[in-house]
Structure formats: C-alpha cells, structure tokens
Amino acid sequence: MSFSKYSVIPGFWLSLGYTLSWLSLIVLIPLAGLILYTTHIHWHQLVTTLTNGQLLSALKLSLYTSFCASLCASIIGSFFAWMLTRHNFVGKKIIDSMIDLPLALPTAIAGIALTTLYAPNGLIGSVLPFKVAYTPLGIIIALVFVTIPFTIRTLEPVIKDIPASVEEAAKTLGATPLQSFLYIIFPMLFPAWLTGFSLAMARSLGEYGSVVFIAANIPYKTEILPILIVSKLDQFDYVGATIISVLMLIISFGMLFIFNITQRWIKPHRLIWFITHFSFRDFTKKRS
C-alpha cells in the first residue's frame, strides 16, 4: 500500500524520514532509554520508592496543584480569549502580545519575580491577610502564570469561527444572554476548552523553574514531583529519580489518553442534549 498517492505536495517520503528521525532523537530514544533503565531496577527498590511517604505526599500535591491551576487558567483564559476575539479596545495588541510572554520568559525569572511579589514582605504578599509564597497557593499561582497561554491560544481560533449571527439569532428568538451561552456557545467551546485544560495540566505536572523558588521545597508540605526528582539527583539517587520520572511519564500519558477519549466522545450536540435534559431547573424539581 502506497501512502504517497495521498500527498499533493511532492517529497512525501523525504518529509516522513525527517519527521521520524527527529521524533526518534528528541522523544522516542530518550523515553525508551528511561524505560530500559527501569528494567534493571530490583523489584524491592521499586516497591520501596513507590510507597515512600515523601513521594506520595509530593504526588498528591502535584496532582492537586496542577488540577487547580489548570482549572483556573482555563476559566481565566476563556475570558481573555473572548475579550481579545470579540471586542476592540485601546491596547488590545499590546495585551495580545503579552500573553505569550510566559512562554518566552525563562521560567526561573518568572519564579523569582512571583516570589518577590508574594513573599510575606513583598509588594502584594505584605498586603494580603494570608500567606501565599511557600504554600500550595503560591505553587498554583506560579502554574497559572505559566499555563494560561495554552488555554487562550487554544480557544481563540474556535471563538473566531463562531459567527456573531448565531448569538443574534438566539436573541431574536427570545433567548437570554445566559441561555445563549449555555445552549449555544458553551457546547461549541467545550472541546477546545478541554484541550486547553489538558495541555495546561500536562505542563503543570512537569513544571519546575517557576515553582522552585515560590514553593521553598519543604518536604511533605510544598515539595512537588519535579523538585523531588532534582533532590534525588543531588543525592546521587539515580534509581529513585528514574522511578519518579517513569511514574510522571505514565501519569501524563494516561491523563492525555483519557482527555483524548473524553474529547472524542463529547460532541456539541451531545452536550446540548445533556444540558437540555439535565438542567439545573429539572434537578431542583426532582429534589423537591
């Protein structure tokens, strides 16, 4: 079976060769080497490392902070994307260019800046009645700062493709702004929103530079998995670092697989049917 007949542009096999070569060098060979190294680890070492209390605490904190940060970034990013796509205002281009700043800025610099601002004696931290830096809340803020461009850039093209005439038609038929959003806009945005959320979650799980300063790396309190890996490497515990790395790899792949399956199943028409048949009003009626 030949695949070249489906290609309009010549050079299919050359492009495929380059793609597979770079994919192997950057992704497949390093991951295969990591997994191959774990096969030499003794079963007793594997069980001891995976049941260690410090690892379980870091795993729980990583999943918790990543989920909260991804949810916050997705909600805030939705407002940003809607504002930048549907409205024109002074300084729009400046704000639009600043959204990509967390991707271009070295994450260590972002971590230092956030720590300076949210430390107990910082500009913002000294005003707040609660402690932000060196707590899980500080980790969430750092992760939101890093992951919010993923959600905004994922939603923008989808919002642009939704014609304004759809909202005008709904308004003409008597729908309120909330009904137009719930029954028309939200079902069309949800698959892209879920993609942005999954990208933010995957990035949050492996983030290190922006978190290392504001977390203060306190074991059992503010120590996340990437920081624990670096700590293991500093102690020349390569076995422990490898096991944790493979664990993070499995979690990331499993999470992306689940999100991909969910995204394929949840279609706009199914979401509209679900919202229509299980609305909040019906739920309250059933309870009464």
Side-chain angles (χ1 to χ4, degrees):
M1 179 179 178
S2 175
F3 295 97
S4 59
K5 64 182 180 181
Y6 298 110
S7 176
V8 178
I9 303 174
F12 170 77
W13 293 110
L14 182 62
S15 303
L16 181 64
Y18 270 115
T19 303
L20 293 178
S21 299
W22 281 109
L23 184 66
S24 300
L25 289 172
I26 296 173
V27 179
L28 298 180
I29 292 177
L31 293 182
L34 183 67
I35 295 173
L36 185 64
Y37 185 80
T38 57
T39 59
H40 300 287
I41 297 174
H42 195 269
W43 178 254
H44 176 70
Q45 292 176 313
L46 183 65
V47 174
T48 304
T49 304
L50 290 178
T51 56
N52 182 266
Q54 188 176 359
L55 170 62
L56 296 177
S57 176
L59 175 62
K60 182 180 176 182
L61 182 64
S62 294
L63 293 175
Y64 168 71
T65 54
S66 298
F67 177 80
C68 292
S70 305
L71 188 62
C72 292
S74 301
I75 295 173
I76 299 171
S78 302
F79 287 107
F80 270 82
W82 186 270
M83 193 73 183
L84 291 172
T85 308
R86 288 302 178 92
H87 301 282
N88 291 318
F89 52 90
V90 179
K92 177 181 175 180
K93 290 185 178 179
I94 297 174
I95 295 176
D96 189 42
S97 60
M98 287 178 66
I99 287 173
D100 295 326
L101 194 61
L103 298 178
L105 191 71
T107 53
I109 296 176
I112 294 171
L114 290 173
T115 307
T116 305
L117 285 175
Y118 288 98
N121 58 348
L123 184 64
I124 300 177
S126 59
V127 178
L128 296 175
F130 49 85
K131 192 175 179 182
V132 176
Y134 320 128
T135 65
L137 180 59
I139 299 174
I140 293 173
I141 291 175
L143 293 178
V144 169
F145 176 80
V146 174
T147 57
I148 199 167
F150 292 97
T151 60
I152 296 175
R153 296 308 184 202
T154 306
L155 284 170
E156 275 184 338
V158 181
I159 295 175
K160 285 179 182 177
D161 288 341
I162 300 175
S165 58
V166 174
E167 300 169 54
E168 295 171 359
K171 189 176 180 181
T172 304
L173 294 173
T176 62
L178 180 61
Q179 288 174 329
S180 300
F181 174 77
L182 282 179
Y183 297 116
I184 298 173
I185 304 298
F186 178 69
M188 288 190 280
L189 284 182
F190 187 74
W193 185 89
L194 193 62
T195 301
F197 176 84
S198 61
L199 291 174
M201 185 89 179
R203 173 63 190 273
S204 298
L205 277 176
E207 179 59 25
Y208 173 79
S210 62
V211 179
V212 65
F213 297 103
I214 201 168
N217 316 328
I218 305 171
Y220 299 97
K221 289 185 179 179
T222 59
E223 189 178 48
I224 59 174
L225 286 179
I227 296 176
L228 185 59
I229 291 175
V230 176
S231 175
K232 295 284 184 187
L233 292 174
D234 289 338
Q235 300 168 8
F236 302 100
D237 184 5
Y238 298 116
V239 173
T242 304
I243 293 174
I244 299 171
S245 302
V246 174
L247 177 64
M248 289 183 62
L249 188 64
I250 293 172
I251 292 174
S252 298
F253 271 117
M255 188 181 59
L256 290 176
F257 178 76
I258 292 172
F259 280 127
N260 193 20
I261 295 296
T262 305
Q263 190 183 20
R264 288 188 179 186
W265 185 82
I266 296 179
K267 300 297 182 184
H269 65 279
R270 289 178 178 171
L271 206 57
I272 292 174
W273 182 89
F274 183 83
I275 295 173
T276 306
H277 287 76
F278 296 95
S279 62
F280 181 73
R281 183 180 299 176
D282 295 337
F283 179 71
T284 53
K285 283 183 179 178
K286 289 177 183 177
R287 286 181 64 90
S288 61

